[in-house]
Every structure is written in C-alpha cells, then in structure tokens.
Amino acid sequence: MRRRLGSPALSPHRHSLPRLAIDAVLVGFAYWLAFQLRFDNGPTGRYAKLFDRTVWWVLIVGLLVLLVARVYQRRWRYSGQRDYEAVGRAVVAIVLIVVMAIVVIRPVQIHRVGGSDRGTVAVGLPNGVIALFFLLSLLLLIGVRVLARSLYERRPLGAFRAGARSERSVLIVGAGDGGRLVLREILRNPGLGLRPVGFLDDDPSKHGSRIEGVKVHGDTDGDLPRVLEQAAPDEVIIAIPSAPGSTRARVVRACRERGVPVRTLPTVFELLQDEETAAAIARQVREVRVEDVLGREPVLMELDSVGAYLAGETVLVTGAGGSIGSELCRQIARVGPRRIVLLDHAEDNLFGIERELLDERHVHASVLATVLADCKEEERMREVLTEHRPTVVFHAAAYKHVGLMESNPVEAVRNNAIATRVMAHVAGEMGVGRFVLVSTDKAVAPATVMGASKALAEFALEAATARFHGTRYAAVRFGNVLGSSGSVVPIFRRQIERGGPVTVTDERMTRYFMTIPEAVQLIIRSGSLASGGGSGADVYVLDMGEPVRIVDLARAMIELSGLDPDRDVAVEIVGRRAGEKLHEQLFNGYERPCRTAAEKIMLADREALAPETVEAMFDEIGLLVLEGDAAGLAARVSELSAVRAELSEKVADPDRRAAPAPLIDSRDR
C-alpha cells in the first residue's frame, strides 16, 4: 500500500483554500492599515518603500504560519476557544518573524552622507506599526471566525417571524455546561421549534448575567415561581444531568402547579452509558421520570471497578429474563466475562434478553449460553452446572407479587425458598466460587408468604455456608425496584392510562425505592464483598435513604402524566391487604448493621442458625409443599420470623443483647 507523505498541516483540504485566501487578505490588510494609522497621510519615503518591499513577505509568512498552526482543521462555524488561542499564537509568530526578517535581511537601507553618522543604515519597522499590526491581525482573524459562527447560529429572519405562532418558549434550568449545550443546540436548529426565554441557576454569581444573549433570571428556590409567572414558558428543561433529586422535585412541583410540562437531560450515569457525542446531548432530553422526583439520590458505582472480579469468569444468572436478571446480564456483559449463562424457565423472556445482548450490546455469540430450565429441578440444575462450570452464580429467579403469592403459598415457597436451597446446594457441590442471592426487605420480620419465602431463602444460604466452605454465599437485601415486574409503578401507570382511580391501600404506607441499575450494581458489588468462611452467609443491605409515601408516589405519577390528581385522576384509599405492613424495615431486630468496605452498603450481622435447625425447618416446609397443604404452609411460614428471632436470642451473647445494636465496621469482626 502506498503511503501519502507530507504533513497534514501543510496540506489543507480544498474546502480550506477559500478560508486561507481570506486570512491572507486580512493579514495583508492589517499590515497596510497599521502603516496608514501610524502615519497621518500614509507612509512616505523610506517607510513607503519598506511597506512595498515587505508586504509580500507578510503574506507568505502569514500563510505558512497559519498552516503550521493548524487553524484550518475545523470550519469557522464550529470555532471555539481553542481555535481562537491557536490564531493568537499564530499572530504572535507572524509579527515576530516579520520583525526579525526585516532586522536580518534589511530590505531598505539609507545612506547618510553628513555628520559623524555617515554610512548605510537599515530602516526598521516603527514600534507603532508593530503594535498596530499585531492588534489588527488578531482582531481581524478572530473577528471573521466569530462572525462566521454567529451567522451560522443565527436563525433565519423568517424563523423569528414565525416564532410567535409556532415556536414553544423554553425556560432552561441550569446555566452550566449542560444548559449552554442545550441553548446552543436550540439556536443552531430552528427545526426544533424552541425559543429560549431565560435560565435559572442556583449559583448567585450567575444571576443577572447573559449567556449567548439569554438572561439568568434567578435560582430554582425563591425565584422559580416568579419567573414562571413572568416568562410564562411553554416548557421547562432541566439541563443539570447531576441535579439532586430535591432540586428536580422542586422544579417539577412548581411547574405542575402551573401546568407547565418539564423535561430533563439524562443523568451523568445515562450519559456515560451512551456513545453519542456531546453535541447530541440536547437531543437526548427526555420526559421527567418517577425516580427524578422522589428526592433520593441514586447510589451509582463505577461498574468497571466493582465488577472487575467477573472479568474472565463464567457467570450463571438465574431468572435471566426478569427485570433484575436481565439488567444483571446487561451489566455483567460490560465487564468482559469469559461466558454468561442465561437461565430462565420463561421462554419469551429468555429469548428476549438473548437477542438484546447479541443485537444491541454487541456481545459475541460465543460468550452467551442460554438454558431453558427450572431452578426447582435439582437434577437438571446439576446437569447445567456440570456442563458450564460457572464460577459465579447470581440467583435472581423469584416470584415477587405479594398478593399473588398470598393466594398461592405453595408455589411461593417452592419457587422462592426450596429452589434457592437447591441452587445453593448444587453450587456448593460443584465448587462455585461465589453464590449471590437476590433478596428483599420483605424478608425482614415477614408478614406475608412472599416475605417469609425469601426469609427462608436467606436461611438456606446459612446452612449451605456451614456445609460448603469453598463457596462464598451472600444475600443482597433491598427495597422496591422502580419499574420491575413486582413494583407498584407499572400498576399505577396502567391505572392512570385507564383514567383512574389510582388505588393506594393506606395513605400512611411508606416504602423504600431504588432504580433497577442501582439495585443491580449493589448486587454485583456485594458479590465482590462476600467473605466466606464466616459463621453464616453474608447479608448485604443498601443504605436506601428515607422511605417514600406511596400516596405521594401515586400523585407524582399522575402529575408526570400531565394530569391533576385532585381533578383528573382520583387517588382512592382501598385499605390494607392481609399481612401488608405500613412500613418496611431493612434489618431484623436481632441483626446489627455493620459498615463494609463499600460506601452505602451495610452488612446485617447476626448469629448463624445451626445447619440442622435449618434442615429441620426445610424438611417440615418441604413436606407441606409436597402435600399441597396451603393452609398449613401459610400458618407455618408466618411463624418463621418469631422462631428465627427466638433461636438467635438463645445463641446470642447476653451482654450484647442488653445493649442497643451499634453500627460497627464489618472488617473488625
């Protein structure tokens, strides 16, 4: 293959030639004008001769220096601060080279014939000409670029005339980099049909200033209602990707009261997930979602670091087609595992996540293995683990709907508890390095069959830890996940679409909420924390902040749909279901919250149950499941929390029971 020689700086593209010619003319004009301004009636005599002989030098030197300075690699319409700095350096170089060339070459000399200074004397550039040449060249070269950019970003006259009829006025929240990008994109693209009417920013130093001609009217607290009334925008865009949830909630609340729709830029986490360039950020403006207004900051981690232990490993994910399991597969695929084994008993879900990973995530087919199987079948699970030999297992397969599990307690316990025991035992027998169970805060002091079944699943890991010392077992406990199959959010959304009412069981009810990516990162991070070799399986809990009132969530979702919860869609209180708690807890009374090496993740330290106690528990439960005794099973699992607490009290240290549970560091255990 023939290689093209030569520097790209000295080989301008054909589209650069007109700009190069304009710059040459401007440099020559600046040199001429400097002489005209220095001398009242223009240069005469020796200085006129100096100009005539050196103007061609200026043109040649100017062209060469500007080429070497690489000021033609980008069109003037896209010029920015770096381009202006490059032009400034080029102008300094041009002036210095011209001055030095005149000193060395001496193009004009005069002969003195009288006095003591007889001889030949070179004529140099006057200091005034040098200063004026520098300033004029700088002004003209930068000015032409600023003018080109201004003309490009300026809307056609017709667009301004049509603005009163067709354009939507926009108030931008955030006068930082995100806000500037949004404004610039609006100004460049009349087709967006948007007209900026101002900024809001919480930085007092920006108040009253103008950005691209658009004024910063005030902050998002005291000034927001006033600005909304005065500017009367058709739309508000929150252009702060890292805005705290409290700020988003305040803006959304004020706008909804006035019927103004709100959109927001993606969060920083979403931007990092996207491969679009910064220039396209404004096109990613999306509707405000539920998680934006809950007032809680998502706990997001650097996946490349927290999931590094999965690189080069074979990872098995059960329930891979579910909401949690599918997100686990997506994020695990990003850290470079040797193989991902997707296991699910739902054919459609399994096919969907397989196609997504292959088509959208660009995972090579050799990395994926899909297994259609049921975790409750021990022999089948032994076959799967023998074939694929996973080193890490994430057990996300579970039934989640509380009401449905109350009606079907046998299946709830069989799928959530017994299947977990099967997977934990088979994983231990096959020498799996890490086994991570996806649990729930409903396993704490369980009041429903679903919660009790997940508490049993945690007990199963305790017994497996005592039996299989080569496997690190851990459970990850967290609250409700927004948008998951068991979440109240899809239910509320369907009720709103039907026109209501939105049903809430009790107006006092609160729950902890988190996003699906947040939950999955907790699961992956907890897998790396699993210590193994302890007195029992580790149970990790996320610091989830303050719980959210369900009635507030319902009203927020109605408002985000552009409706009024007091007029358009009613919120109806229907009463609590059997076993439904007003408030969920993250720790049992017999557990101590301990700090871990990971920020925002705590360890629920507790006394381990004896393996024989757990086995006896499962033998009794298994018999009831086998007999299909739903009533007996429901009664038995409702006693589990009290039994667990009683057994823990018997083996716990009396002095520690008398003192309140402190927050300790798990590394000091």
Side-chain angles (χ1 to χ4, degrees), residues 506-585:
D506 194 300
E507 62 182 3
R508 298 167 295 170
M509 185 171 293
T510 63
R511 289 292 183 267
Y512 293 101
F513 284 97
M514 64 193 310
T515 64
I516 291 179
E518 188 179 4
V520 168
Q521 289 196 0
L522 167 64
I523 296 168
I524 293 175
R525 181 68 171 108
S526 299
S528 70
L529 295 174
S531 58
S535 57
D538 294 335
V539 178
Y540 294 102
V541 183
L542 177 67
D543 179 4
M544 300 193 66
E546 296 299 320
V548 177
R549 293 178 67 214
I550 300 299
V551 68
D552 291 342
L553 174 65
R555 293 180 66 87
M557 290 190 63
I558 294 171
E559 291 172 348
L560 289 176
S561 301
L563 303 171
D564 187 340
D566 298 316
R567 185 182 67 246
D568 301 320
V569 176
V571 177
E572 183 177 325
I573 308 299
V574 297
R576 281 188 288 165
R577 295 168 293 189
E580 193 172 33
K581 294 186 287 186
L582 280 178
H583 312 291
E584 295 286 3
Q585 301 168 281

Side-chain angles (χ1 to χ4, degrees), residues 517-658:
E518 188 179 4
V520 168
Q521 289 196 0
L522 167 64
I523 296 168
I524 293 175
R525 181 68 171 108
S526 299
S528 70
L529 295 174
S531 58
S535 57
D538 294 335
V539 178
Y540 294 102
V541 183
L542 177 67
D543 179 4
M544 300 193 66
E546 296 299 320
V548 177
R549 293 178 67 214
I550 300 299
V551 68
D552 291 342
L553 174 65
R555 293 180 66 87
M557 290 190 63
I558 294 171
E559 291 172 348
L560 289 176
S561 301
L563 303 171
D564 187 340
D566 298 316
R567 185 182 67 246
D568 301 320
V569 176
V571 177
E572 183 177 325
I573 308 299
V574 297
R576 281 188 288 165
R577 295 168 293 189
E580 193 172 33
K581 294 186 287 186
L582 280 178
H583 312 291
E584 295 286 3
Q585 301 168 281
L586 296 174
F587 295 91
N588 286 294
Y590 52 82
E591 295 174 334
R592 297 182 301 168
C594 306
R595 294 188 180 92
T596 67
E599 186 180 2
K600 300 290 187 179
I601 297 179
M602 293 176 288
L603 176 72
D605 184 39
R606 58 186 182 180
E607 297 295 333
L609 289 175
E612 54 271 17
T613 302
V614 177
E615 295 299 334
M617 220 183 264
F618 268 94
D619 287 344
E620 183 180 355
I621 294 295
L623 182 60
L624 291 171
V625 168
L626 189 63
E627 294 175 348
D629 187 354
L633 185 62
R636 184 70 184 97
V637 296
S638 66
E639 302 169 4
L640 287 178
S641 181
V643 171
R644 177 63 169 88
E646 182 181 348
L647 291 172
S648 297
E649 288 292 329
K650 289 181 180 179
V651 298
D653 184 273
D655 295 333
R656 190 178 66 190
R657 289 202 314 270

Side-chain angles (χ1 to χ4, degrees), residues 337-390:
R338 188 175 70 85
R339 171 161 288 201
I340 308 175
V341 183
L342 315 179
L343 189 148
D344 205 304
H345 74 280
E347 177 189 14
D348 289 345
N349 292 347
L350 186 62
F351 178 78
I353 185 60
E354 178 192 30
R355 294 315 313 170
E356 179 184 343
L357 290 173
L358 289 174
D359 298 341
E360 299 181 18
R361 301 285 168 172
H362 306 292
V363 176
H364 195 273
S366 62
V367 177
L368 292 183
T370 52
V371 178
L372 191 62
D374 195 327
C375 297
K376 299 187 292 290
E377 300 175 2
E378 185 170 352
E379 288 305 315
R380 176 65 175 134
M381 290 303 99
R382 193 170 280 108
E383 291 174 2
V384 172
L385 269 68
T386 300
E387 177 184 358
H388 297 285
R389 292 292 177 180

